[in-house]
Amino acid sequence: RSGGKNRGPLFEGGQNPLWMRIPRRGFSNHRHRVAYQALPLARILSRVDGNDVSLEALAASGLSQLGERIKVVSPVAVDRAITLTAHRVSASVRQAIEAAGGSVTEIDAAPAAASGKGA
C-alpha cells in the first residue's frame, strides 16, 4: 500500500486545520448593504385600488410591511394615471407610469449632482 502517506503540507492528522481556525480579515459589505423587496408593477396594479400607490397603501393591501424598502420592477402597460411613492423604481417602470400620465416619487434616492469634490 504505497503512496498513502503523502497528504500534503496542510494536512494536520484529522484535527481542524490552522487555516480554518484563524479568524477572517478584510472588508465585508454585509453591514453596509441596503436590501430592497422587489415588487412587480403588475401585482401592485392588481391589488391596490385607486390612483395613489404609497407605502401605506402597499402595506394595507398586504403586499409589504411598513418599514421594508420597496423597489418596483417589471413594467407593464399602465391603464390609469397613478402616483407611485416607493424607495426605488426601475427606469422602465418610471417610463411606463409617466407615459400613462402618472408621476413617480422616490423616497431615498441619492441626488445625482452630489458627487462633486471640494464644493
Side-chain angles (χ1 to χ4, degrees), residues 37-113:
Q37 178 187 0
L39 277 179
L41 183 60
R43 187 180 300 168
I44 293 173
L45 293 176
S46 67
R47 299 274 299 267
V48 176
D49 296 328
N51 294 337
D52 184 34
V53 180
S54 62
L55 297 177
E56 291 80 16
L58 293 174
S61 66
L63 289 173
S64 69
Q65 296 177 354
L66 287 177
E68 287 182 330
R69 294 178 179 263
I70 305 296
K71 180 172 182 176
V72 182
V73 295
S74 302
V76 295
V78 180
D79 57 348
R80 60 184 192 259
I82 63 172
T83 302
L84 177 68
T85 303
H87 293 95
R88 291 274 190 256
V89 177
S90 67
S92 53
V93 169
R94 176 185 297 275
Q95 198 174 37
I97 291 174
E98 290 175 351
S103 64
V104 175
T105 304
E106 290 188 20
I107 294 175
D108 58 333

